[in-house]
């Protein structure tokens, strides 16, 4: 048995702690619950195959992460008896016209042979989009990916924490500063990684609008929608959706929503739900951390000090697998990922 201290209680830190505890180690988590934690605000879309990013190391990380998700969720739910906020209803990538639809279909389908877990991929007409998502606009055709899903970050974190405690872990809701440690120290502090200086961490401020369709009788689960531009729409409950997100490079740690972004997102909600009466529920603000090349940093920064950071917009997709892989790596076990691919110090 070894000793580990994890600083930061978001999904990355909690998953690492959970998997280390399952391996029989003594693990303590310190979390000061900073306002603006990305885990709470993110919509958690699990559909990496539709991305146009060409970074092979990033794609391998998120592809393996999506493959890991269903088994991980089943095991965590069996252990804890808790909901994880994960569901897989597919995803629809909307496009502006039929020509772009053909190109998007070819690009996405080309990944299917190497990722059978993405399931069926097919073009959907404007009419099919409307049948699958009745309140949504019928202006755009799309590409449907069967394996697409979503997870609610705060719900998943609650289940991970319960699983961690069940395996003998200790969770302390305090600032770690000044605490003594034994064994290996793991920083998973997200945007607040700037306090550790190494590696260099910056962050983007992202805002999401949650709203309700007041005049809808919507009941059925709907696919995740990847709308035009870097916009997504996800179902959050009966007649309730979230639309986002904004991207603002900033040095501020303010989690107060801006009026400008609220108006922008509300305008998008009206654009994609033109026939519905929209009622505001809340605005959420998350601070998403990035390291060099928009690629997560996973590695030792000094002896017995390990850092997990820079998960960015794919944090909820990648963090469960990253936690398992880091636990295996620190336990001297074989890993699916080459951790050295994500460590440049």
């Amino acid at each position: 048995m070894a000793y580990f201290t994890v600083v930061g209680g978001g999904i990355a830190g909690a998953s690492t702690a959970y998997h280390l505890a399952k391996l029989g180690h003594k693990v303590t988590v310190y979390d000061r619950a900073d306002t603006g934690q990305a885990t709470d605000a993110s919509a958690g879309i699990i559909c990496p195959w539709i991305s146009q990013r060409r970074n092979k190391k990033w794609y391998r990380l998120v592809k393996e992460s999506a493959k890991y998700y269903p088994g991980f969720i089943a095991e965590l739910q069996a252990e804890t008896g808790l909901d994880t906020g994960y569901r897989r209803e597919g995803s629809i990538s909307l496009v502006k016209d039929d020509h772009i639809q053909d190109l998007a279909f070819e690009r996405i389908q080309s990944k299917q042979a190497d990722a059978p877990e993405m399931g069926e991929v097919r073009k959907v007409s404007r009419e099919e989009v409307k049948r699958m998502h009745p309140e949504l606009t019928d202006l755009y055709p799309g590409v449907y990916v069967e394996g697409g899903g979503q997870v609610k970050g705060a719900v998943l974190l609650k289940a991970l924490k319960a699983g961690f405690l069940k395996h003998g872990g200790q969770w302390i809701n305090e600032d770690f500063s000044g605490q003594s440690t034994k064994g290996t120290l793991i920083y998973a502090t997200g945007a607040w990684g700037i306090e550790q200086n190494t590696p260099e961490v910056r962050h983007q401020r992202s805002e999401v609008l949650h709203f309700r369709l007041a005049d809808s009788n919507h009941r059925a689960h709907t696919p995740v929608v990847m709308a035009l531009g870097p916009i997504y729409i996800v179902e959050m409950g009966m007649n309730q959706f979230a639309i986002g997100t904004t991207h603002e490079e900033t040095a501020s740690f303010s989690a107060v929503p801006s009026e400008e972004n609220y108006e922008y997102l509300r305008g998008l909600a009206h654009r994609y739900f033109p026939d519905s009466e929209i009622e505001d529920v809340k605005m959420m603000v998350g601070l998403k951390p990035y390291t060099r090349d928009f690629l997560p940093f996973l590695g030792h920064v000094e002896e017995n000090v390990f850092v997990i950071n820079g998960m960015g917009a794919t944090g909820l997709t990648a963090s469960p697998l990253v936690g398992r892989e880091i636990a295996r790596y620190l336990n001297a076990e074989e890993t699916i990922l080459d951790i050295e691919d994500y460590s440049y110090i």
Side-chain angles (χ1 to χ4, degrees):
M1 178 182 71
Y3 290 82
F4 295 92
T5 300
V6 179
V7 181
I11 297 294
S15 176
T16 303
Y18 165 75
H19 285 94
L20 282 168
K22 285 188 69 172
L23 290 171
H25 298 300
K26 183 70 173 178
V27 188
T28 302
V29 173
Y30 283 88
D31 181 40
R32 66 188 189 193
D34 292 290
T35 302
Q37 186 185 71
T39 292
D40 290 335
S42 176
I45 297 167
I46 317 298
C47 194
W49 318 284
I50 65 175
S51 174
Q52 297 188 57
R53 283 187 66 178
R54 296 185 177 183
N55 186 302
K56 293 181 180 179
K57 294 176 182 178
W58 174 85
Y59 181 67
R60 184 173 186 214
L61 169 62
V62 294
K63 179 177 75 73
E64 293 294 340
S65 296
K67 183 178 180 180
Y68 178 58
Y69 239 96
F72 159 71
I73 291 295
E75 186 172 334
L76 183 60
Q77 289 183 164
E79 286 182 349
T80 64
L82 297 176
D83 180 30
T84 59
Y86 174 74
R87 62 183 182 84
R88 190 164 49 167
E89 303 288 343
S91 72
I92 304 173
S93 296
L94 300 181
V95 294
K96 64 180 181 179
D97 57 42
D98 295 340
H99 173 65
I100 300 299
Q101 183 188 43
D102 289 338
L103 296 176
F105 174 73
E106 291 174 8
R107 174 177 55 81
I108 296 170
Q109 190 188 45
S110 69
K111 301 177 182 180
Q112 196 173 28
D114 190 46
E117 59 274 8
M118 65 193 292
E120 179 188 14
V121 180
R122 71 174 190 270
K123 292 186 283 186
V124 288
S125 67
R126 294 163 178 82
E127 293 76 19
E128 286 179 283
V129 170
K130 191 70 173 175
R131 285 198 297 271
M132 298 171 77
H133 208 308
E135 285 79 14
L136 198 66
T137 179
D138 61 359
L139 289 178
Y140 309 107
V143 177
Y144 174 75
V145 178
E146 182 184 25
Q150 70 178 91
V151 65
K152 296 177 182 178
V155 179
L156 176 59
L157 181 58
K158 182 179 179 180
L160 264 175
K161 182 177 178 180
F164 168 65
L165 294 174
K166 184 174 181 178
H167 287 287
Q170 182 181 21
W171 190 288
I172 301 175
N173 291 311
E174 293 179 6
D175 190 346
F176 172 72
S177 299
Q179 304 290 340
S180 59
T181 62
K182 182 179 182 180
T184 299
L185 176 61
I186 302 171
Y187 283 108
T189 48
W192 292 267
I194 192 172
E195 297 174 13
Q196 285 88 56
N197 298 317
T198 303
E200 183 178 350
V201 177
R202 66 191 190 284
H203 64 270
Q204 290 182 355
R205 174 186 161 95
S206 300
E207 298 189 42
V208 180
L209 171 65
H210 292 242
F211 60 93
R212 182 180 295 107
L213 304 183
D215 55 348
S216 172
N217 293 317
H218 175 85
R219 292 287 189 277
H221 289 170
T222 53
V224 169
V225 175
M226 306 305 296
L228 275 61
I231 300 299
Y232 59 74
I233 300 166
V234 294
E235 184 180 302
M236 302 302 291
M238 187 178 297
N239 299 335
Q240 189 170 318
F241 296 87
I243 189 167
T245 179
T246 61
H247 303 272
E248 177 190 356
E249 291 279 352
T250 180
S252 169
F253 284 84
S254 170
V256 179
S258 73
E259 183 66 24
E260 179 183 1
N261 285 329
Y262 163 72
E263 294 294 342
Y264 167 67
L265 292 172
R266 204 170 199 283
L268 288 174
H270 281 292
R271 173 183 177 182
Y272 287 102
F273 295 88
D275 301 321
S276 298
E277 180 184 346
I278 293 174
E279 291 182 350
D280 297 341
V281 175
K282 60 183 174 181
M283 285 282 287
M284 297 287 288
V285 178
L287 306 176
K288 296 180 179 179
Y290 292 89
T291 48
R292 196 180 76 178
D293 302 328
F294 288 87
L295 192 69
F297 177 87
L298 314 171
H300 283 97
V301 295
E302 57 183 274
E303 187 177 2
N304 294 328
V305 179
F306 197 93
V307 169
I308 304 167
N309 215 321
M311 306 299 285
T314 52
L316 280 179
T317 295
S319 290
L321 177 70
V322 163
R324 188 199 68 178
E325 292 290 278
I326 296 307
R328 287 182 173 181
Y329 178 77
L330 295 175
N331 202 47
E333 295 182 20
E334 184 178 357
T335 59
I336 292 174
L337 302 173
D338 184 350
I339 302 302
E340 299 304 317
D341 282 344
Y342 308 93
S343 175
Y344 53 81
I345 296 177

